[in-house]
């Protein structure tokens, strides 16, 4: 049986963040499920919801605006795919 972390391990940190993914890896999970959406500036952002906490559509926000709305760094797809060995 494989153990997957849904949006990382986010008991103490925000979901879909580098901290949540790092915590999941530290626990020894086999994989991580996450979501990718395109921001208004064409960046593949890692965020679950289609709208920000301020009820603005992710696709209408730049990466920087999205981070402002959620209140923490929002990783980009290339960041989470980097080899961290």
């Amino acid at each position: 049986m494989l153990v997957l972390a849904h949006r990382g391990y986010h008991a103490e940190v925000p979901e879909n963040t580098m901290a949540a993914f790092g915590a999941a890896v530290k626990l020894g999970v086999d994989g991580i499920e996450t979501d990718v959406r395109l921001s208004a500036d064409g960046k593949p952002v890692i965020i679950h919801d289609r709208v920000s906490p301020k009820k603005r559509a992710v696709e209408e926000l730049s990466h920087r605006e999205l981070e402002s709305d959620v209140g923490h760094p929002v990783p980009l797809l290339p960041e989470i795919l980097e080899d961290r060995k």
Side-chain angles (χ1 to χ4, degrees):
M1 175 171 64
L2 295 176
V3 176
L4 302 177
H6 187 238
R7 302 181 201 154
Y9 180 69
H10 46 91
E12 298 177 10
V13 296
E15 66 183 26
N16 283 323
T17 61
M18 296 303 289
F21 299 147
V25 169
K26 207 175 213 181
L27 287 174
V29 300
D30 297 302
I32 298 170
E33 180 280 335
T34 191
D35 303 277
V36 181
R37 301 190 182 283
L38 280 179
S39 61
D41 50 355
K43 295 182 181 180
V45 294
I46 305 303
I47 190 163
H48 174 70
D49 295 319
R50 288 183 169 87
V51 296
S52 76
K54 293 185 177 180
K55 305 298 182 208
R56 301 194 304 166
V58 169
E59 66 186 14
E60 296 175 0
L61 298 172
S62 70
H63 181 230
R64 186 179 307 241
E65 291 169 326
L66 180 59
E67 288 182 323
S68 177
D69 273 20
V70 299
H72 58 76
V74 175
L76 300 174
L77 182 59
E79 290 177 77
I80 67 168
L81 297 178
E82 286 180 4
D83 185 3
R84 304 244 178 234
K85 293 181 185 175

